[in-house]
């Protein structure tokens, strides 16, 4: 990786500025008041830990996916009405959504069902009238009705298919309730009137989408998926989602899963979304110019592997975000850059995740943002030239920051703070929070960040060891401020001259421990 020019300039100057350690304690209206802190040394051994063990990716390959395809028995294709079909309740359960399909089909809406076994686009074209599904050119297929892959069935869109197009005018979409393979092919939202891809034009306008329900397997390999998704529920683009709380007791399906490997996702409402999905693997994909998020695993998804992906150009929000109890997952060796907000976000009580060896740069907000999500490990990440902070941590305890580099960011290298979220539009029953913050920062470098190296507001504790800090490009944020000013010399002496580990605790907390 080539370092940014400002970073290289600072390194050439070689000016070690230990004074760039700045624990800012000035409170805002939404932050608790600052307090006095006690500084002491602690055993170095208490902070030392091995590098995280990351999942072995060698088994997640195109060849492994091909081996999962079972071409027998052959399936069958039928057309039925859309109403009162369990996999479609989410999309017909209300007059407004049902009206969408009636308007687009010009009749009581119909759906193509794949049942009983294995089907390819060739079989679809043979089995259906052209007004519903047709081959428009060799290897190019146009679906003019929604398609449901039923439980026990498989749809395989393979290399013989140059493009599998879903008609926007006719309200086509793809629901997987069984197994879906898209290998060496394309899946495209298609505007028939203009004979072109249905590029995003405005929020709320229908576009085709893909959703895989509980109990399903979805595999997308060496393929291109373009222009799917809009604002309606479970219609975001490519989604892997458990059935809704109302339908889950009826369907009784296990958590959905899938592998998305070495594929391109562009101009999607969400490049990827999941809900209560387990063991999903996103490896080696590119998420380019998607509208809201590049990658967005959500509610109670677990054991996800998000590795070796590139997410850039997200128009509205973040490149990669996990939110609301997405736990026990790995985000590593990704690149996330030039997104409208942050490069990587860990949000809303998502715990026990490893975020390692990612490169996050030129995002308009933070490089890495941690909101209300403690017990996570950030290891060996590089966050540089982001518009705000390199790494930002809010209301999160037991956070480990090891061997990270934050360079040439617009504000601070590392910013930790608490914030009172009462009185905001946050649903506190669904997304509770604690105004607690504790950080362990070991190793790594904070170099040339515009407002200083590190600022921590109202922490319960901060532990520091072997942290290199170099002079920012302009002399802002140097030194310690407010309640920590008196401890400045002691911290620098322990950290830099004596090369010891430093513990910073609130004085009132120390007094309680001594009772």
């Amino acid at each position: 990786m080539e370092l940014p020019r400002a970073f290289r300039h600072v390194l050439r100057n070689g000016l070690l500025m230990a004074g760039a350690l700045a624990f800012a304690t000035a409170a805002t209206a939404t932050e608790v008041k600052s307090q006095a802190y006690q500084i002491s040394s602690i055993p170095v051994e208490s902070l030392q830990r091995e590098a995280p063990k990351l999942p072995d990716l060698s088994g997640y390959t195109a060849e492994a996916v091909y081996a999962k395809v079972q071409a027998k028995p052959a399936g069958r294709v039928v057309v039925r009405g859309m109403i009162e079909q369990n996999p479609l309740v989410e999309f017909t359960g209300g007059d407004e959504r049902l009206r969408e399909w009636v308007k687009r089909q010009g009749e009581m809406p119909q759906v193509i069902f794949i049942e009983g076994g294995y089907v390819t686009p060739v079989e679809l074209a043979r089995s259906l009238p052209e007004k519903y599904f047709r081959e428009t050119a060799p290897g190019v297929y146009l679906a003019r009705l929604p398609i449901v892959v039923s439980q026990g069935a498989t749809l395989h869109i393979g290399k013989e298919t140059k493009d599998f197009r879903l008609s926007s005018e006719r309200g086509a979409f793809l629901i997987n309730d069984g197994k879906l393979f898209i290998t060496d092919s394309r899946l495209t939202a298609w505007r028939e009137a203009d004979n072109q891809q249905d590029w995003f034009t405005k929020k709320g306008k229908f576009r085709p989408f893909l959703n895989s329900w509980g109990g399903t397997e979805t595999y997308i390999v060496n393929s291109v998926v373009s222009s799917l998704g809009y604002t309606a529920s479970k219609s975001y683009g490519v989604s892997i989602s458990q059935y809704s709380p109302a339908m889950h007791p009826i369907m009784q399906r296990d958590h959905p899963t899938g592998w998305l490997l070495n594929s391109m996702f562009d101009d999607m409402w969400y490049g990827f979304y999941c809900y209560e999905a387990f063991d999903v693997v996103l490896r080696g994909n590119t998420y380019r110019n998607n509208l809201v998020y590049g990658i967005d695993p959500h509610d109670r998804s677990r054991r996800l592997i998000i590795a070796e992906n590139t997410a850039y150009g997200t128009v509205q929000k973040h490149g990669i975000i996990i939110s609301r109890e997405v736990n026990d997952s790995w985000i590593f060796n990704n690149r996330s850059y030039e997104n409208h907000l942050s490069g990587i976000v860990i949000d809303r009580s998502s715990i026990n995740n490893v975020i390692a060896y990612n490169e996050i740069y030129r995002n308009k907000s933070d490089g890495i943002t941690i909101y209300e999500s403690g017990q996570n490990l950030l290891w060996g990440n590089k966050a540089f030239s982001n518009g705000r902070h390199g790494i930002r941590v809010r209301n999160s305890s037991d956070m480990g920051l090891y061997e990270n580099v934050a360079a040439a960011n617009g504000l601070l290298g590392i910013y930790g703070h608490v914030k009172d979220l009462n009185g905001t539009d946050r649903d506190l029953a669904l997304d509770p929070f604690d105004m607690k913050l504790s950080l362990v920062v070991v190793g790594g470098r904070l170099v040339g960040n515009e407002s200083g190296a590190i600022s921590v507001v109202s922490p319960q504790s901060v532990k520091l060891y072997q942290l290199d800090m170099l002079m920012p490009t302009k002399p802002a944020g140097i030194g310690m401020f407010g309640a920590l000013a008196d401890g400045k010399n002691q911290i620098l002496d322990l950290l830099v001259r004596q090369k010891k580990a430093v513990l910073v605790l609130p004085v009132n907390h120390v007094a309680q421990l001594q009772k």
Side-chain angles (χ1 to χ4, degrees):
M1 180 194 72
E2 184 178 358
L3 297 175
R5 182 178 299 176
F7 193 1
R8 297 199 306 270
H9 174 73
V10 171
L11 288 176
R12 282 197 301 268
N13 288 344
L15 299 175
L16 175 64
M17 293 297 295
L21 178 65
F23 289 81
T25 57
T28 69
T30 58
E31 295 169 341
V32 299
K33 293 181 180 179
S34 60
Q35 51 189 315
Y37 288 83
Q38 177 172 302
I39 292 88
S40 61
S41 66
I42 54 175
V44 169
E45 293 76 16
S46 66
L47 303 185
Q48 292 177 331
R49 60 186 299 173
E50 297 292 327
K53 185 177 180 180
L54 302 175
D56 180 4
L57 299 180
S58 62
Y60 302 112
T61 64
E63 291 72 24
V65 170
Y66 302 149
K68 292 177 179 289
V69 176
Q70 296 180 358
K72 293 181 180 180
R76 60 184 179 273
V77 179
V78 297
V79 176
R80 296 196 183 95
M82 180 182 281
I83 310 302
E84 297 183 355
Q85 301 289 345
N86 283 338
L88 299 174
V89 167
E90 183 76 31
F91 313 107
T92 59
D95 292 343
E96 184 175 346
R97 296 207 80 176
L98 182 58
R99 190 181 303 119
E100 183 80 56
W101 320 127
V102 173
K103 177 182 69 175
R104 293 181 181 276
Q105 293 189 24
E107 58 185 351
M108 285 306 292
Q110 304 290 303
V111 177
I112 299 165
F113 282 83
I114 298 169
E115 299 177 339
Y118 178 86
V119 168
T120 70
V122 172
E123 280 78 53
L124 286 171
R126 288 174 183 165
S127 303
L128 295 165
E130 288 194 352
K131 68 176 183 176
Y132 293 155
F133 190 92
R134 63 175 178 258
E135 187 174 15
T136 60
V140 178
Y141 297 91
L142 178 67
R144 305 187 76 241
L145 289 182
I147 299 173
V148 174
V149 183
S150 300
Q151 187 174 359
T154 298
L155 173 62
H156 185 188
I157 302 170
K159 62 182 179 180
E160 298 82 5
T161 300
K162 295 178 182 178
D163 198 359
F164 192 95
R165 296 171 176 173
L166 301 172
S167 170
S168 294
E169 287 94 334
R170 292 279 298 178
F173 56 88
L174 182 55
I175 298 298
N176 177 27
D177 205 34
K179 291 184 180 181
L180 173 64
F181 293 85
I182 303 174
T183 60
D184 306 284
S185 189
R186 296 181 67 98
L187 177 66
T188 309
W190 197 255
R191 191 180 302 155
E192 291 188 64
D194 301 323
N195 195 33
Q196 68 172 11
Q197 181 174 326
D198 191 3
W199 297 100
F200 175 80
T201 55
K202 65 178 181 180
K203 183 178 179 180
K205 176 181 173 290
F206 171 84
R207 292 197 304 176
F209 56 89
L210 162 61
N211 184 72
S212 293
W213 283 128
T216 64
E217 297 177 31
T218 301
Y219 301 96
I220 302 177
V221 180
N222 295 335
S223 295
V224 177
V225 182
S226 297
S227 294
L228 300 187
Y230 71 121
T231 53
S233 176
K234 310 300 183 184
S235 306
Y236 306 130
V238 171
S239 302
I240 298 178
S241 175
Q242 179 57 281
Y243 274 100
S244 67
M247 287 299 297
H248 181 54
I250 298 170
M251 302 304 292
Q252 292 290 313
R253 304 291 295 279
D254 200 357
H255 295 276
T257 192
W259 300 358
L260 282 65
L261 311 176
N262 302 320
S263 294
M264 167 75 76
F265 301 85
D266 73 300
D267 189 50
M268 313 278 282
W269 186 244
Y270 293 4
F272 174 80
Y273 171 85
C274 68
Y275 171 91
E276 294 187 356
F278 283 12
D279 304 301
V280 172
V281 178
L282 308 180
R283 181 190 182 191
N285 303 300
T286 298
Y287 296 85
R288 178 182 68 183
N289 301 333
N290 297 296
L291 276 303
V292 181
Y293 303 111
I295 299 172
D296 180 28
H298 230 275
D299 303 55
R300 297 171 295 282
S301 295
R302 293 189 61 194
R303 298 190 303 271
L304 310 180
I305 297 174
I306 303 171
E308 300 177 354
N309 302 285
T310 298
Y312 70 93
T314 306
V315 175
Q316 295 183 20
K317 295 188 178 181
H318 316 297
I320 301 171
I321 176 173
I322 64 173
S323 183
R324 194 173 291 133
E325 299 178 54
V326 178
N327 302 336
D328 309 316
S329 298
W330 299 268
I331 303 174
F332 62 98
N333 289 337
N334 301 284
R335 292 194 304 156
S336 186
Y337 64 94
E338 294 176 2
N339 299 292
H340 187 69
L341 293 179
S342 296
I344 296 177
V345 179
I346 312 300
D347 185 38
R348 303 186 188 220
S349 304
S350 295
I351 65 170
N352 196 34
N353 300 293
V354 175
I355 302 92
Y357 309 116
N358 300 286
E359 294 183 6
I360 311 104
Y361 54 96
R362 297 200 299 271
N363 298 286
K364 290 186 179 180
S365 187
D366 306 322
I368 301 175
T369 305
I370 312 294
Y371 281 164
E372 291 75 55
S373 295
Q375 302 172 46
N376 292 296
L377 175 63
L378 277 60
W379 188 292
N381 301 285
K382 297 180 174 65
F384 58 88
S385 299
N386 297 289
R388 293 183 62 79
H389 309 291
I391 299 172
R392 178 180 180 180
V393 181
R394 184 182 79 186
N395 294 342
S396 301
S397 298
D398 300 320
M399 286 294 304
L401 280 62
Y402 282 71
E403 305 299 338
N404 299 288
V405 175
N409 295 290
L411 294 176
L412 294 152
I414 297 173
Y415 177 42
H417 68 120
V418 297
K419 184 176 182 178
D420 187 353
L421 301 179
N422 289 295
T424 68
D425 60 1
R426 188 184 185 97
D427 184 337
L428 298 180
L430 183 62
D431 297 311
F433 74 97
D434 288 320
M435 292 176 62
K436 295 180 180 179
L437 175 70
S438 58
L439 303 178
V440 175
V441 184
V442 175
R445 313 189 85 187
L446 307 177
V447 181
N449 298 287
E450 291 292 327
S451 295
I454 179 170
S455 169
V456 183
V457 176
S458 302
Q460 289 184 311
S461 71
V462 180
K463 299 175 183 178
L464 304 167
Y465 181 58
Q466 287 186 333
L467 183 61
D468 287 342
M469 291 160 285
L470 299 180
M471 183 177 183
T473 57
K474 59 183 180 181
I478 296 177
M480 297 181 186
F481 304 105
L484 292 182
D486 291 343
K488 172 182 177 179
N489 291 337
Q490 185 182 0
I491 290 176
L492 298 179
D493 181 69
L494 290 169
L495 188 66
V496 178
R497 188 181 68 82
Q498 298 187 48
K499 300 188 183 305
K500 292 184 176 181
V502 175
L503 171 64
V504 182
L505 287 176
V507 168
N508 58 3
H509 180 65
V510 175
Q512 291 174 3
L513 293 176
Q514 292 174 345
K515 287 183 180 179

